[in-house]
Amino acid sequence: MILTYQFRIKDSSRKTKLKNLASKVNFVWNYLNETSAFAWKRDRRWLGEFDLNYLMIGSSKELGLHSDCLTSISNLFTTARNRAKRSKLGWRSAKKKLGWIPFKSRSIKINNDVITFHKTKYKIWKSRELIGEIKYGSFSQNSRGQWFINLYCEVPSIDKTQSKNSVGIDLGLKTTATMSDGSKIENPRILDKYIDKLSMAQRANKRKLVTKIHNKIKNIRRDFLHKETSKLTIKYNKIYVGDVSSSKLAKTKMAKSVYDVSWGTFKSMLEYKAIRLGVDFKVVKENYSTVTCSSCFKRTGPSGLGALGVREFVCINCGTTHDRDVNAATNILFGLGR
């Protein structure tokens, strides 16, 4: 499997150089975009990766980009274009897009905390050792202007030797996740802890401070989700998660809470960690999971918007008392009795 390692580049290390390279990458992307669109309009055919690479022969030295960087751009461009099924993609510029510089593994050399790319050395904060063979990578910029290097390495899967436990997981807002065994991951409500500082910065129109606070919230949230998903994939051998849609709920009054709890990130982290550890991970339908009794499988639970505050109920068919979230997680695990 492919595992991504991300290291932050020290701010004093060639920041201007990376900005210039990113600008040239945007230029190449836009050239490919316009050329591809023109070819479609004139000949009604899409130029392939080979065609685009042929058009860029000899431009590496003049642009100041490694030839592998050029072929990486054309590869990613054609992949994105074909996936979108459009003859023309969005325009890349420094104002609209964050910096990005793709490359292939042979374009870089790594010596401890120094990375050499196109005869230029970049110092990084090396937080962990690399495992596996580097296949390709990229430089990327975040909203604060900080630069990172992303290395995509092929690593072997790990044989899981822990106990063979299965779990169903119900995602929520009050609790980030509730497991079918009764354990819960409480929602840390990270946004609430910084909402006052964020509001003051927004009212004062301090854009850099607003960006800094948002970035801090994002980092704290990702750190929390990484730790919790790692615990789950180590503890369980089979993980089933409900298919709750964050995109649909984000259109309601609960949007702020939905974005803060980050269900999509939680599920994606669980998935790739499960693949590496050999854990069986599935996203299953959770229709009627909260109103179906996990003992007799009759729909006797509280339903409707007015009953959302009811967190415990007694099944009128079999008399079992249920915690609503644990009951939903159990239904997700056993597939509503089917």
Side-chain angles (χ1 to χ4, degrees):
M1 64 171 296
I2 300 297
L3 190 64
T4 304
Y5 290 87
Q6 186 178 75
F7 303 105
R8 180 180 164 187
I9 297 173
K10 295 184 178 180
D11 289 339
S12 59
S13 179
R14 310 289 186 177
K15 193 173 182 180
T16 304
K17 178 73 173 178
L18 289 171
K19 283 185 178 180
N20 291 335
L21 289 175
S23 177
K24 294 172 182 177
V25 168
N26 290 343
F27 175 82
V28 173
W29 177 280
N30 294 333
Y31 167 75
L32 299 179
N33 201 12
E34 290 294 327
T35 305
S36 177
F38 177 76
W40 169 256
K41 184 177 180 180
R42 186 186 64 181
D43 304 325
R44 280 296 183 267
R45 78 180 187 92
W46 285 2
L47 295 178
E49 184 181 347
F50 176 81
D51 300 317
L52 296 175
N53 287 337
Y54 182 79
L55 292 174
M56 294 189 292
I57 291 177
S59 63
S60 175
K61 186 175 181 180
E62 184 176 351
L63 289 170
L65 289 173
H66 197 282
S67 57
D68 283 346
C69 183
L70 295 177
T71 56
S72 295
I73 297 169
S74 64
N75 174 265
L76 293 168
F77 169 78
T78 52
T79 301
R81 183 199 59 191
N82 296 343
R83 187 187 299 118
K85 297 181 180 180
R86 296 167 54 191
S87 61
K88 190 174 184 179
L89 300 178
W91 187 266
R92 288 193 65 90
S93 67
K95 291 183 179 180
K96 293 182 179 180
K97 302 288 185 179
L98 296 174
W100 168 68
I101 308 162
F103 56 81
K104 294 183 179 179
S105 59
R106 62 184 182 183
S107 305
I108 65 166
K109 294 181 180 179
I110 302 176
N111 183 16
N112 197 16
D113 63 342
V114 177
I115 291 178
T116 304
F117 173 71
H118 203 39
K119 299 181 181 180
T120 304
K121 294 183 178 180
Y122 302 91
K123 291 185 177 181
I124 63 172
W125 300 99
K126 195 173 183 181
S127 54
R128 52 179 173 164
E129 294 298 324
L130 289 171
I131 300 175
E133 180 186 358
I134 300 174
K135 291 297 183 180
Y136 52 95
S138 66
F139 291 94
S140 61
Q141 184 185 33
N142 67 8
S143 56
R144 293 186 62 192
Q146 297 169 334
W147 282 90
F148 298 83
I149 185 168
N150 312 291
L151 303 173
Y152 305 93
C153 303
E154 186 176 19
V155 298
S157 298
I158 300 174
D159 293 330
K160 191 171 177 64
T161 57
Q162 288 82 359
S163 59
K164 296 183 178 181
N165 297 326
S166 301
V167 67
I169 300 178
D170 177 57
L171 302 177
L173 298 178
K174 186 176 181 180
T175 55
T176 299
T178 301
M179 273 59 74
S180 54
D181 59 10
S183 57
K184 298 183 179 183
I185 300 174
E186 296 298 328
N187 183 357
R189 301 189 182 280
I190 300 165
L191 181 60
D192 290 347
K193 297 176 182 178
Y194 292 90
I195 194 64
D196 291 337
K197 290 183 179 179
L198 184 60
S199 299
M200 290 176 64
Q202 288 173 334
R203 286 195 295 268
N205 200 27
K206 296 181 179 179
R207 295 184 181 180
K208 288 186 178 181
L209 181 58
V210 170
T211 302
K212 182 178 180 180
I213 295 172
H214 274 303
N215 195 63
K216 187 172 184 177
I217 293 171
K218 175 186 174 182
N219 290 339
I220 295 173
R221 184 187 293 124
R222 287 187 67 84
D223 180 66
F224 169 76
L225 294 176
H226 268 301
K227 290 176 179 177
E228 295 301 330
T229 51
S230 294
K231 291 177 185 177
L232 290 172
T233 50
I234 290 173
K235 184 176 181 180
Y236 301 104
N237 270 65
K238 293 183 179 181
I239 300 175
Y240 303 94
V241 183
D243 63 346
V244 59
S245 175
S246 55
S247 59
K248 291 180 180 178
L249 283 176
K251 298 177 183 179
T252 67
K253 294 180 180 179
M254 297 182 288
K256 186 175 75 171
S257 299
V258 171
Y259 285 129
D260 192 34
V261 80
S262 297
W263 290 329
T265 305
F266 182 86
K267 286 192 284 188
S268 64
M269 285 184 178
L270 267 181
E271 184 174 12
Y272 77 73
K273 291 179 182 181
I275 292 172
R276 190 186 180 205
L277 293 175
V279 175
D280 184 13
F281 174 85
K282 291 181 181 178
V283 177
V284 300
K285 292 184 178 180
E286 61 171 16
N287 297 357
Y288 306 108
S289 61
T290 60
V291 299
T292 303
C293 172
S294 57
S295 298
C296 66
F297 307 112
K298 299 294 183 180
R299 296 179 187 174
T300 58
S303 60
L305 293 175
L308 287 177
V310 180
R311 308 318 302 168
E312 290 187 0
F313 70 94
V314 178
C315 177
I316 59 175
N317 185 63
C318 65
T320 306
T321 302
H322 293 290
D323 177 294
R324 186 168 179 168
D325 294 333
V326 175
N327 175 71
T330 305
N331 283 327
I332 290 170
L333 174 61
F334 295 110
L336 299 177
R338 292 192 295 275

Coordinates of all heavy atoms in Angstrom, one line a residue, residues 6-11 15 18-19 98-99 125 139-149 212 215-216 219:
Q6 N 4.5 13.4 5.5 CA 4.5 14.8 5.3 C 5.4 15.5 6.3 O 5.3 15.3 7.5 CB 3.1 15.4 5.4 CG 3.1 16.9 5.1 CD 1.7 17.5 5.1 OE1 1.2 17.8 6.2 NE2 1.0 17.8 4.0
F7 N 6.4 16.3 5.8 CA 7.3 17.0 6.6 C 7.3 18.5 6.3 O 7.3 18.8 5.1 CB 8.8 16.4 6.4 CG 8.9 15.0 6.7 CD1 9.0 14.1 5.6 CD2 8.9 14.5 8.0 CE1 9.2 12.7 5.8 CE2 9.0 13.1 8.2 CZ 9.2 12.2 7.1
R8 N 7.3 19.3 7.3 CA 7.3 20.7 7.1 C 8.7 21.2 6.8 O 9.7 20.8 7.4 CB 6.8 21.4 8.4 CG 6.7 22.9 8.2 CD 6.2 23.6 9.4 NE 6.5 25.0 9.4 CZ 6.3 25.8 10.5 NH1 5.7 25.4 11.6 NH2 6.6 27.1 10.4
I9 N 8.8 22.1 5.8 CA 10.1 22.7 5.4 C 10.3 23.9 6.3 O 9.4 24.7 6.5 CB 10.0 23.1 3.9 CG1 9.9 21.8 3.1 CG2 11.3 23.8 3.5 CD1 9.7 22.0 1.6
K10 N 11.5 24.0 6.8 CA 11.8 25.2 7.7 C 11.6 26.5 6.9 O 12.0 26.6 5.7 CB 13.2 25.1 8.2 CG 13.4 23.9 9.1 CD 14.8 23.8 9.7 CE 15.0 22.6 10.6 NZ 16.3 22.5 11.2
D11 N 10.9 27.4 7.5 CA 10.5 28.7 6.9 C 11.6 29.4 6.2 O 11.4 30.1 5.2 CB 9.7 29.6 7.9 CG 8.4 29.0 8.2 OD1 7.8 28.2 7.5 OD2 7.8 29.4 9.3
K15 N 12.1 29.6 0.8 CA 10.7 29.8 0.6 C 10.4 30.5 -0.7 O 9.4 30.2 -1.4 CB 10.2 30.7 1.8 CG 8.7 30.7 1.9 CD 8.3 31.5 3.2 CE 6.8 31.5 3.4 NZ 6.5 32.2 4.7
L18 N 10.6 28.1 -3.7 CA 9.5 27.3 -3.9 C 8.3 28.0 -4.5 O 7.5 27.5 -5.3 CB 9.0 26.7 -2.5 CG 10.0 25.6 -2.0 CD1 9.6 25.3 -0.5 CD2 10.0 24.4 -2.8
K19 N 8.1 29.3 -4.1 CA 7.1 30.1 -4.7 C 7.3 30.3 -6.2 O 6.3 30.2 -7.0 CB 7.1 31.5 -4.0 CG 6.4 31.5 -2.7 CD 6.3 33.0 -2.2 CE 5.6 33.0 -0.8 NZ 5.5 34.4 -0.3
L98 N -3.3 27.3 -3.8 CA -2.1 27.2 -3.0 C -0.9 26.6 -3.8 O -1.2 25.9 -4.7 CB -2.3 26.4 -1.7 CG -3.4 27.0 -0.8 CD1 -3.7 26.1 0.4 CD2 -2.9 28.4 -0.2
G99 N 0.3 26.9 -3.4 CA 1.4 26.4 -4.1 C 1.5 24.8 -4.1 O 1.2 24.2 -3.1
W125 N 11.7 19.6 9.1 CA 11.5 19.1 10.4 C 11.2 17.7 10.3 O 10.1 17.3 10.1 CB 10.4 19.9 11.1 CG 10.6 21.4 11.2 CD1 10.1 22.3 10.4 CD2 11.4 22.1 12.2 NE1 10.5 23.6 10.8 CE2 11.3 23.4 11.9 CE3 12.2 21.6 13.3 CZ2 11.9 24.4 12.7 CZ3 12.8 22.6 14.0 CH2 12.7 24.0 13.7
F139 N 5.7 19.0 -3.3 CA 5.8 20.1 -2.4 C 4.4 20.8 -2.3 O 3.8 20.9 -3.4 CB 6.8 21.2 -2.8 CG 8.2 20.7 -2.7 CD1 8.9 20.2 -3.8 CD2 8.9 20.8 -1.5 CE1 10.2 19.7 -3.7 CE2 10.3 20.4 -1.4 CZ 10.9 19.8 -2.6
S140 N 3.9 21.2 -1.2 CA 2.6 21.8 -1.1 C 2.6 22.9 0.0 O 3.4 22.9 0.9 CB 1.5 20.8 -0.7 OG 1.8 20.2 0.6
Q141 N 1.7 23.9 -0.2 CA 1.7 25.1 0.7 C 0.3 25.1 1.4 O -0.7 24.7 0.8 CB 1.8 26.3 -0.2 CG 1.9 27.6 0.6 CD 1.9 28.8 -0.4 OE1 1.4 28.8 -1.5 NE2 2.6 29.9 0.0
N142 N 0.3 25.5 2.6 CA -1.0 25.6 3.3 C -1.4 27.1 3.3 O -0.7 28.0 2.8 CB -0.9 25.1 4.7 CG 0.0 25.9 5.7 OD1 0.5 27.0 5.3 ND2 0.3 25.4 6.8
S143 N -2.5 27.3 4.0 CA -3.1 28.7 3.9 C -2.3 29.7 4.6 O -2.5 30.9 4.4 CB -4.5 28.6 4.5 OG -4.5 28.1 5.8
R144 N -1.4 29.3 5.5 CA -0.5 30.3 6.2 C 0.8 30.5 5.4 O 1.6 31.3 5.9 CB -0.2 29.7 7.6 CG -1.3 29.6 8.5 CD -0.9 29.2 9.9 NE 0.0 30.2 10.5 CZ 0.8 30.0 11.6 NH1 0.7 28.8 12.2 NH2 1.6 30.9 12.1
G145 N 0.9 29.9 4.3 CA 2.2 30.1 3.5 C 3.3 29.2 3.9 O 4.4 29.3 3.3
Q146 N 3.0 28.2 4.8 CA 4.0 27.3 5.1 C 4.1 26.2 4.1 O 3.1 25.8 3.5 CB 3.7 26.7 6.5 CG 3.7 27.7 7.6 CD 3.1 27.1 8.9 OE1 2.3 26.1 8.9 NE2 3.4 27.6 10.1
W147 N 5.4 25.7 3.9 CA 5.6 24.7 2.8 C 5.9 23.3 3.5 O 6.5 23.2 4.5 CB 6.8 25.1 1.9 CG 6.4 26.1 0.9 CD1 6.4 27.5 1.1 CD2 5.9 25.9 -0.4 NE1 6.0 28.1 0.0 CE2 5.6 27.2 -1.0 CE3 5.6 24.8 -1.1 CZ2 5.1 27.3 -2.2 CZ3 5.1 24.9 -2.4 CH2 4.9 26.2 -3.0
F148 N 5.4 22.3 2.8 CA 5.6 20.9 3.2 C 6.1 20.1 2.0 O 5.8 20.4 0.9 CB 4.3 20.3 3.8 CG 3.7 21.0 5.0 CD1 3.0 22.2 4.8 CD2 4.0 20.5 6.2 CE1 2.5 22.9 5.9 CE2 3.5 21.2 7.3 CZ 2.7 22.4 7.2
I149 N 6.7 19.0 2.4 CA 7.1 18.0 1.3 C 6.3 16.7 1.6 O 6.2 16.3 2.8 CB 8.6 17.7 1.2 CG1 8.9 16.8 0.1 CG2 9.1 17.1 2.5 CD1 10.3 16.6 -0.3
K212 N -4.5 31.8 11.0 CA -3.7 31.1 12.0 C -4.5 30.3 12.9 O -4.2 29.1 13.3 CB -2.8 32.1 12.8 CG -1.9 31.5 13.8 CD -1.1 32.6 14.5 CE -0.1 32.0 15.5 NZ 0.7 33.0 16.2
N215 N -6.0 27.3 11.2 CA -5.0 26.3 11.0 C -4.7 25.5 12.3 O -4.5 24.3 12.2 CB -3.7 26.9 10.5 CG -2.7 25.9 9.9 OD1 -3.0 25.3 8.9 ND2 -1.6 25.8 10.5
K216 N -4.7 26.2 13.4 CA -4.5 25.6 14.7 C -5.6 24.6 15.0 O -5.4 23.5 15.5 CB -4.4 26.7 15.8 CG -4.0 26.1 17.1 CD -3.7 27.2 18.1 CE -3.2 26.6 19.4 NZ -2.8 27.6 20.4
N219 N -5.2 21.5 12.9 CA -4.1 20.6 13.4 C -4.5 19.9 14.6 O -4.2 18.7 14.8 CB -2.9 21.4 13.6 CG -2.2 21.9 12.4 OD1 -2.5 21.4 11.3 ND2 -1.4 23.0 12.5

